Amino acid sequence: MRRFLSAHDRKLFLTLTGKDLVHMKGYRKYFTKKVVWFLITFVAALILNFILPRLMPADPVAAITGKLVGSTTDATASARIYERYQEEFGTNKPMWEQFFTYIGNLFKGDLGTSFSQYPRKVNDIIASAIWWTIGLQLPAIIVGWLLGNILGALAAYIRKGFDKVLMPLSLFLSSIPAFGMAVILLVLFAVNFKIAPVSGAYGFDMIPNFSWSFVWSVITHYQLPFWSIVLVSIGGQAIGMRSMSIYELNADYVKYARFLGIKDKKIVGYVFRNAMLPQVTGLALSIGTMIGGALVAEIIFSYPGLGSVMYSAVTAADYPLISATTLIITLMVLIVTFILDIVYALIDPRVKAAQFD
Amino acid sequence: MKNTLRQVFHSGKFVAGFSIFVFILLMMIIYPLINPGNPLERIGVGTFAKPGTYVSLYDSVSSDRETLRLADADENRIKSMMSMEDRVSMVAWFTAMDISVEGVDMNDTDALLTMWRENYDEKARPAGMTKAQRNFYVRLNNSITSANTAEVLSVTETNSATGEVVDKGKIDKTDYVNVGDVANVKTLPLGTDNFGRDVLKELVSACGTSIWIGFIAGIVATLIGLLLGLLAGYLGGIVDDIIMFVTNIFTVIPSFVLLILITYSLGQDQRGATTVAVVIGLTSWVWTTRSVRSQVISLRNRDHVNLSKLSGHSLMRIVMTDILPYIASYVVMAFILQVSSGILAEAQLSLLGLGPKTTEVPTLGLMMNWAMLYSAHLNGSWWAYFPVILTIAGISFSMNLMNTGLDQVFNPTLRD
């Protein structure tokens, strides 16, 4: 939703979300404030992750017991299984005690045991999936962002024909859901033209190692998921950059610079630098949505990342695994947002000068 | 108001988006009138029947016949009967006879048949071919050329009481029936899905449910966002701080994650379409809040608002008459985006297996989920998923267009 807000809106956002930038005495203070915010949101995420599932009427342990016991009618057996699970997951203890156990385990780096892949630890599952997700999504989102911004800036600068074609096209591209783009690319290139593999992250007959054939297999498997995420994110970014650039091109300082007879090339440089800034915050603010879409796209390709882990966890009602994936994804989004905030402060001189507003 | 509307409908983008949306809405209303019935009814026993018109074989046997002598009938019949295995065998024969098969396209029936007729020789003994294999080719050749000889199908009826088989007549190769005379003809423009359901009927119904979900989610999110944004922006101070604290937290925590946690905890039985919609709305108010708040802050110190305050008007009245009309356009734009992202959120949830329960209504996301579960994308059943993707993209596209149009009307700097 963020990506379609108008340029004027974004400016306002900036001034207002930038409220914390006002009266700042410099970068260090800004940094401290961002760290504090990071911690606060992280704690909030932890609490939500803990409390939301427990607020609900359904008892996850009962559900799991039910699934496990199945058609067995032996009441004592199922009661014993239920108690055993209650013990293991600690649901028989008071809420606050559960919370502290949960936090304690987290700090020990223990995310619990998976139900569906018992006795595999959730840590192992996440650890084997997370690098695929980061390796896929981080480059894809960055490339999509860059390409989108270049196209949007060009559209704003050239206008006329290019803009007339590019705008509706970007709008349509960004309307296609990430999973839809994934399916279309998969069917076109993997099923019909057979120039790309259908699923997975490497050949199914391979064992991960550092041989050339394995690396090549990873590269070929990488293409379709990568481009499906890139294509989807280009559209939204291009639209944002275009309206931001037009907004800047109409700004007073541009007119003034033209009066002064400054070369067009130089003005354009300034304009796009100014238009880029909100795009960085834009990325920080939309990264959550983008990752969400990209995770679903992973499922289409059976890419062994967090999206697929979450999918199998949901289908198998593997409660600890779901909760761990959501937590890890939140943490990833928080970290990326944090980094972008810091980058933003580095490239926006106003933060350093502290003369905002 | 009238002026604003006229202005809005002068924007080409808005009108284009609006037309697409109205077209989709009209389809949703009109199609069920033409083709009534339960969209979840399983009409096909198999999975993924191809799109097209299905003619009852049983009824066509007893329909009135006409004899038509069509020149290309035999040729067409042979072509439709030539299976892939036959084609592969033919090419194998050529290879065994050292006839160059370079440039032969197995899917080009005409070229393959001409080549076969020119080259096949019953008496030839390709090297390394057994008698059984040679006989196979004789049969294959017969089946390809025998279309010229008169073969007649006979229809029999089995008496269920005695088990006696009664001859009911013959079917000639030149017998034709008029499709209009056949009692049962069913057109499935988009075939059937994995459950044997009529995809088009299901799609129209799913489209309606998804738009409903989008609207509910949009209304919930917009109401919460509007209320919080107005409070934070107009009152300021501690109220603003608290609301913004919460809003900032929820800006960073991805709503997608919250959505997964809540819908999963709700459990499959609790998840009706409307419940899912409300949950989506509850997790996506953040942007509206921020947007409304920033607008209100820029408004609250304007002269007309101050004048109202000095006149002693109540808070309610100031908000209703002096603030809301000014931000109405933003709220409408935000609402449109909420609707389209609500539809998308439902689709993503359903793909994860967390969508509305599957027994009541189809949604676009559920259709997509089913198609993926039954590998429609791998077995070539494009009709099961492509129309769904196109519909989702079409709805979001129309809404985004409307939004861009509105944006240009209300933000003159963006006009072309």
Side-chain angles (χ1 to χ4, degrees):
Chain A
M1 134 129 224
R2 172 70 186 54
R3 52 196 182 167
F4 296 116
L5 288 171
S6 74
H8 179 66
D9 239 13
R10 289 180 184 211
K11 278 279 166 184
L12 271 173
F13 271 167
L14 271 185
T15 22
L16 297 163
T17 47
K19 197 176 157 192
D20 36 8
L21 307 185
V22 186
H23 317 304
M24 270 301 139
K25 281 213 186 90
Y27 189 61
R28 187 183 293 167
K29 208 161 179 187
Y30 174 81
F31 185 77
T32 329
K33 185 138 192 170
K34 285 294 167 194
V35 172
V36 171
W37 253 111
F38 176 81
L39 291 176
I40 291 175
T41 33
F42 183 59
V43 171
L46 275 183
I47 295 175
L48 281 172
N49 216 44
F50 171 80
I51 222 162
L52 272 179
R54 287 169 176 80
L55 278 181
M56 299 303 156
D59 176 1
V61 176
I64 295 147
T65 318
K67 231 184 164 61
L68 198 79
V69 174
S71 55
T72 322
T73 43
D74 190 349
T76 46
S78 55
R80 216 175 300 146
I81 293 173
Y82 181 75
E83 272 165 30
R84 165 95 176 68
Y85 271 131
Q86 266 199 330
E87 197 64 44
E88 179 155 355
F89 298 107
T91 44
N92 50 359
K93 297 197 187 91
M95 199 68 116
W96 60 269
E97 210 181 314
Q98 285 183 44
F99 184 68
F100 284 110
T101 332
Y102 170 81
I103 298 290
N105 283 342
L106 272 186
F107 275 96
K108 274 184 273 169
D110 179 10
L111 292 165
T113 315
S114 159
F115 287 149
S116 57
Q117 305 179 35
Y118 194 85
R120 220 176 147 199
K121 284 281 179 196
V122 171
N123 291 32
D124 294 343
I125 303 174
I126 301 270
S128 65
I130 191 165
W131 295 111
W132 290 113
T133 291
I134 293 177
L136 174 66
Q137 298 204 4
L138 203 62
I141 288 176
I142 291 173
V143 169
W145 184 81
L146 281 177
L147 285 180
N149 279 322
I150 293 170
L151 283 179
L154 281 179
Y157 185 60
I158 301 176
R159 306 300 289 269
K160 297 198 189 82
F162 188 55
D163 192 27
K164 281 271 179 309
V165 179
L166 196 80
M167 257 301 280
L169 192 71
S170 305
L171 211 55
F172 188 73
L173 264 186
S174 63
S175 304
I176 301 175
F179 63 82
M181 187 59 89
V183 175
I184 292 172
L185 289 188
L186 176 73
V187 170
L188 272 185
F189 294 105
V191 179
N192 283 354
F193 299 147
K194 296 192 172 42
I195 52 173
V198 172
S199 70
Y202 47 86
F204 59 90
D205 51 350
M206 286 181 166
I207 296 162
N209 57 46
F210 276 104
S211 68
W212 272 115
S213 59
F214 179 75
V215 172
W216 180 246
S217 171
V218 167
I219 291 172
T220 51
H221 281 79
Y222 189 74
Q223 298 307 317
L224 289 184
F226 177 77
W227 289 107
S228 70
I229 298 171
V230 169
L231 279 179
V232 168
S233 41
I234 281 181
Q237 296 299 335
I239 294 165
M241 184 61 181
R242 175 186 171 273
S243 55
M244 216 48 242
S245 304
I246 292 177
Y247 190 88
E248 289 289 334
L249 280 168
N250 290 332
D252 288 340
Y253 72 88
V254 176
K255 287 173 193 153
Y256 183 62
R258 287 215 169 109
F259 273 132
L260 291 181
I262 296 176
K263 272 190 204 122
D264 220 32
K265 218 172 168 184
K266 203 160 187 185
I267 301 177
V268 168
Y270 283 121
V271 165
F272 291 138
R273 236 171 61 194
N274 284 336
M276 279 305 271
L277 287 175
Q279 287 296 100
V280 177
T281 7
L283 183 63
L285 293 169
S286 59
I287 199 101
T289 327
M290 287 165 98
I291 289 184
L295 284 174
V296 178
E298 270 183 16
I299 300 171
I300 306 288
F301 293 106
S302 318
Y303 208 76
L306 289 175
S308 301
V309 167
M310 189 183 290
Y311 176 66
S312 60
V314 167
T315 8
D318 188 340
Y319 179 70
L321 195 51
I322 294 176
S323 144
T325 12
T326 50
L327 191 67
I328 293 293
I329 291 167
T330 314
L331 189 61
M332 276 164 55
V333 173
L334 287 184
I335 292 173
V336 173
T337 318
F338 177 75
I339 294 173
L340 282 172
D341 275 339
I342 300 304
V343 169
Y344 179 77
L346 285 177
I347 56 176
D348 188 353
R350 282 172 297 195
V351 176
K352 276 187 253 176
Q355 282 167 347
F356 205 60
D357 206 7
Chain B
M1 186 68 191
K2 208 173 140 194
N3 232 348
T4 321
L5 274 184
R6 193 183 301 147
Q7 225 181 349
V8 164
F9 277 93
H10 266 296
S11 154
K13 289 205 176 80
F14 181 85
V15 173
F18 190 72
S19 315
I20 300 176
F21 190 65
V22 167
F23 173 76
I24 294 172
L25 280 184
L26 279 179
M27 272 294 284
M28 269 162 45
I29 298 165
I30 294 172
Y31 189 76
L33 297 178
I34 305 170
N35 189 358
N38 176 12
L40 292 184
E41 189 191 349
R42 295 177 170 199
I43 52 171
V45 174
T47 60
F48 298 125
K50 268 197 291 190
T53 302
Y54 287 79
V55 179
S56 162
L57 204 57
Y58 191 92
D59 293 337
S60 54
V61 168
S62 49
S63 298
D64 289 339
R65 289 177 206 173
E66 288 292 336
T67 304
L68 300 180
R69 298 192 184 283
L70 302 178
D72 55 350
D74 287 336
E75 198 72 15
N76 289 338
R77 192 170 297 122
I78 293 171
K79 282 181 202 162
S80 82
M81 271 157 45
M82 254 169 63
S83 67
M84 203 61 209
E85 287 92 73
D86 290 344
R87 290 160 201 254
V88 173
S89 319
M90 282 157 93
V91 173
W93 192 85
F94 293 141
T95 331
M97 288 295 286
D98 284 332
I99 297 166
S100 163
V101 288
E102 224 167 279
V104 173
D105 181 4
M106 293 237 248
N107 294 315
D108 187 353
T109 319
D110 285 321
L112 198 61
L113 265 182
T114 324
M115 192 171 164
W116 178 260
R117 282 175 186 155
E118 277 168 8
N119 291 305
Y120 183 70
D121 178 11
E122 219 168 282
K123 292 181 193 80
R125 289 173 171 267
M129 203 174 266
T130 60
K131 189 153 180 18
Q133 279 170 320
R134 283 204 304 276
N135 283 341
F136 166 79
Y137 281 106
V138 171
R139 281 196 304 276
L140 182 66
N141 185 49
N142 282 342
S143 75
I144 288 169
T145 45
S146 73
N148 305 320
T149 61
E151 258 177 43
V152 177
L153 283 182
S154 64
V155 183
T156 59
E157 186 184 272
T158 314
N159 188 320
S160 57
T162 57
E164 190 187 357
V165 178
V166 187
D167 196 3
K168 294 286 283 181
K170 307 267 184 247
I171 300 180
D172 241 325
K173 283 179 177 167
T174 49
D175 284 346
Y176 286 80
V177 294
N178 190 323
V179 174
D181 289 343
V182 181
N184 287 301
V185 176
K186 176 77 182 164
T187 304
L188 296 170
L190 291 176
T192 67
D193 70 357
N194 53 296
F195 298 112
R197 296 166 180 161
D198 180 346
V199 172
L200 183 60
K201 198 194 263 184
E202 201 183 354
L203 182 69
V204 169
S205 161
C207 189
T209 321
S210 282
I211 291 180
W212 165 255
I213 290 176
F215 265 92
I216 295 291
I219 288 171
V220 171
T222 309
L223 282 183
I224 298 176
L226 189 60
L227 187 71
L228 290 181
L230 280 172
L231 282 177
Y234 190 75
L235 294 179
I238 182 91
V239 180
D240 185 24
D241 287 342
I242 294 171
I243 292 179
M244 279 324 279
F245 181 78
V246 178
T247 311
N248 281 337
I249 289 179
F250 283 102
T251 313
V252 191
I253 297 177
S255 59
F256 183 67
V257 164
L258 290 179
L259 209 51
I260 289 172
L261 280 176
I262 299 179
T263 43
Y264 180 71
S265 314
L266 274 176
Q268 170 83 18
D269 304 329
Q270 305 286 319
R271 285 200 301 261
T274 314
T275 321
V276 170
V278 171
V279 174
I280 293 173
L282 285 178
T283 54
S284 53
W285 47 268
V286 179
W287 289 111
T288 313
T289 306
R290 298 186 83 131
S291 180
V292 168
R293 174 178 172 272
S294 54
Q295 295 295 322
V296 173
I297 286 179
S298 73
L299 275 171
R300 73 172 170 207
N301 285 325
R302 296 257 183 100
D303 288 343
H304 72 280
V305 181
N306 284 332
L307 200 64
S308 272
K309 276 187 206 158
L310 287 175
S311 318
H313 288 159
S314 66
L315 175 77
M316 198 61 192
R317 183 163 165 191
I318 296 177
V319 167
M320 293 307 276
T321 60
D322 297 323
I323 295 197
L324 266 187
Y326 289 84
I327 58 169
S329 64
Y330 280 90
V331 176
V332 171
M333 287 196 291
F335 173 72
I336 292 178
L337 291 181
Q338 297 279 13
V339 173
S340 88
S341 55
I343 293 172
L344 190 64
E346 184 276 328
Q348 289 183 339
L349 271 185
S350 297
L351 268 179
L352 269 175
L354 288 172
K357 57 181 152 189
T358 48
T359 44
E360 280 169 359
V361 278
T363 67
L364 292 174
L366 286 175
M367 285 183 74
M368 197 67 204
N369 186 23
W370 291 325
M372 293 298 110
L373 276 178
Y374 287 81
S375 316
H377 55 311
L378 300 181
N379 61 29
S381 314
W382 56 269
W383 55 90
Y385 60 86
F386 191 67
V388 182
I389 298 175
L390 206 63
T391 312
I392 298 177
I395 297 174
S396 333
F397 182 55
S398 72
M399 302 227 161
N400 290 342
L401 265 182
M402 279 197 261
N403 191 66
T404 322
L406 286 176
D407 206 6
Q408 284 175 352
V409 170
F410 295 113
N411 290 311
T413 42
L414 291 176
R415 279 186 205 157
D416 297 316

